Amino acid sequence: MGSKKVNNEHEVTVRFRMIRNCMFLSGLSVFAQLYLFQPMLSDLCRSFSITPAESSLAVSASTVGMAVGLLFLAFKADGISREKLMGASLILSSVLTIASAFIDSYSFLLVFNLLKGIVLAGVSAVALAYLSEEVDTSKIGLAISLYLSGNTLGGMSGRVAATLVSGYGGWQLATLVIGIVSLALGAIFCWKIPAGRNFSASMVSIGEKMRQMRSLLTQTTFISMYVIAALSMGIFVSVYNYLSFLLESPAFGLPYHLVAMIFMMYVAGIIGSVVAGVLSDRFGPEVLLQGALLLMGVGMSLLLVMKLWAIVLGLGILTFAFFSTHTLASRIVSMHAQHLKSSATSIYWLFYYAGSSLIGSLTGIVLVNSGWFSLMEVLLALLFCALIVSSLFIFKYRLYEKSKVYSHRRYGNNDVRSRN
C-alpha cells in the first residue's frame, strides 16, 4: 500500500511538471508569434515603401485575428479536446509564420498575419480552462502564474530576437527563425502535453451564449472593465509600436541592438502583475485599478521628456502600470462574472485585442502627420477617458455596496424569513 501511494504521488508530481512546462512553452510560442512584427515596423516601412501607420497593420492584423478567433471559439471551444486544440494551433500558426517569411506582397503578409491570429486564439481560448481542470487546486496558482510568465517572456524574447536578427539579416530572416523555433516548441508541446482527464465536451447553444453576452454588456461593471481594457491596451501597444521610430531618429540615433533592449522592460510587466495580484488580495482592486491608471500617466508624461534616461524610466513605469491594470481589470471581471466566467472573459479579451488593433494602428496616423508629442497627447487623452470610466465605476460600486448594507440592516431578517 505504501509503495503504491508513493508511486501515485510520483505520477501526480510528474504529470503536474509536464503540464506546467508545456503550458509555459505554449505561452512562449503564442506571444513570440503574435507580436513578431512590432519591433520590425521600420524594416517593413523600408521594405514595402509604406508609412509607419500602414506598417502597424502587421501587428493589428494578428491581434484582430486573435479577437475574431476568440469570439468564434467562445461558442465552440467547450466541444473540442483542450490539448488537441492547443497543439494544432501551435503547429499551424508556426507554419503560417514560416510561410510569411517568403512573402513579397504586404497585402498577403497582412492576410497571413490575420490567419495566424485566428489560429493562435485556439491556445488562449482554452489554456486557463485546461489548467483549472487538470491541476490540483493547491498548485493551480503556480501553474497559472508560470503560464502567464511564459506569455510575457514570449512577447519579450520574440521582440528582442526579432530586432537583433532583423538588424543582421532583415525581417524575413527574423520571421523564419521565430517560425522555426515556434514549430519546435509546438512539436514538444504535442509530444509531452498530458491528455485531459477531467474534460467532458459540452456545447452551449448559440442562442444561450448570445443571451449571456448580451446580459454582460448591459452591466456597468463589465462595460467599464471592457472599455478600460481596450483603452489601456491600445495606449500600451501604441507606445511600443512607435517608440522605435523615435529612438532610431536623428534625435537619438540608437543602433538596432540597443533599440531591442527596450523590450526588456517587459520584466517590469511581470513584476507589475505579481504586485497587483498580491495587493488585490489585501485591498479593493477597484481603487488599485485607478492608482495603476494614474501611474500609467506618470510613465507617459516622462516619455515627453526628450532625454534617454527619462524615456527608459517612463517606459518602465508605463509597462509596470499597464500590466497591473490588466491584472486588476481581468480580476474584477472574473470576480463579478460568477457562472458566466467563460462569456465574460471572452468579451474581455475581445475588447482587449480590439483596442490593441484599432488604437495601435490609428495612432500611427497621428505620428506620421503631427509627430511624437501629438501622439503622446492623444494617448494621454485616451488615458483620461479610462480614468473617468474608472471613477464612475468606483462611484457606482460604492453606492451599490452602501445600498446592500442598508438593505441588510433594514430588511435582513425579513429576507431570511422569506427565503426559509
Side-chain angles (χ1 to χ4, degrees), residues 385-402:
C385 293
L387 279 165
I388 291 175
V389 171
S390 174
S391 299
L392 291 174
F393 165 69
I394 289 174
F395 176 72
K396 186 159 185 178
Y397 182 75
R398 284 177 174 169
L399 283 180
Y400 171 72
E401 289 296 311
K402 287 180 180 178

Side-chain angles (χ1 to χ4, degrees), residues 240-298:
Y240 272 93
N241 273 357
Y242 305 119
L243 185 58
S244 60
F245 289 97
L246 176 68
L247 296 178
E248 292 174 0
S249 71
F252 293 96
L254 295 183
Y256 68 88
H257 60 275
L258 289 181
V259 173
M261 294 302 104
I262 68 172
F263 296 104
M264 297 298 289
M265 285 297 175
Y266 269 59
V267 173
I270 297 174
I271 298 171
S273 293
V274 173
V275 170
V278 171
L279 290 178
S280 63
D281 287 332
R282 299 176 57 190
F283 307 101
E286 299 81 14
V287 177
L288 291 172
L289 175 64
Q290 195 162 42
L293 289 170
L294 288 170
L295 193 58
M296 282 184 69
V298 173

Side-chain angles (χ1 to χ4, degrees), residues 202-221:
S202 62
M203 293 296 293
V204 177
S205 69
I206 293 177
E208 177 60 27
K209 202 71 169 181
M210 291 297 292
R211 281 192 291 274
Q212 291 177 1
M213 292 184 172
R214 212 164 29 238
S215 70
L216 292 168
L217 290 172
T218 60
Q219 298 180 46
T220 305
T221 296

Side-chain angles (χ1 to χ4, degrees), residues 7-39:
N7 288 336
N8 288 339
E9 289 177 352
H10 176 69
E11 181 187 349
V12 170
T13 302
V14 170
R15 189 170 189 272
F16 168 72
R17 190 181 299 122
M18 296 296 292
I19 291 174
R20 180 194 66 189
N21 293 343
C22 285
M23 296 309 296
F24 177 76
L25 293 180
S26 74
L28 284 175
S29 177
V30 168
F31 283 84
Q33 293 185 78
L34 187 64
Y35 290 104
L36 163 64
F37 289 99
Q38 190 175 53

Side-chain angles (χ1 to χ4, degrees), residues 262-341:
I262 68 172
F263 296 104
M264 297 298 289
M265 285 297 175
Y266 269 59
V267 173
I270 297 174
I271 298 171
S273 293
V274 173
V275 170
V278 171
L279 290 178
S280 63
D281 287 332
R282 299 176 57 190
F283 307 101
E286 299 81 14
V287 177
L288 291 172
L289 175 64
Q290 195 162 42
L293 289 170
L294 288 170
L295 193 58
M296 282 184 69
V298 173
M300 292 165 65
S301 299
L302 285 170
L303 296 178
L304 291 168
V305 180
M306 289 295 101
K307 299 290 183 182
L308 188 58
W309 68 265
I311 287 179
V312 171
L313 178 61
L315 189 64
I317 293 173
L318 171 64
T319 305
F320 177 94
F322 165 72
F323 278 95
S324 299
T325 298
H326 172 43
T327 300
L328 294 165
S330 56
R331 173 166 182 161
I332 291 170
V333 169
S334 179
M335 282 169 50
H336 289 81
Q338 296 177 359
H339 64 287
L340 298 180
K341 280 186 171 59

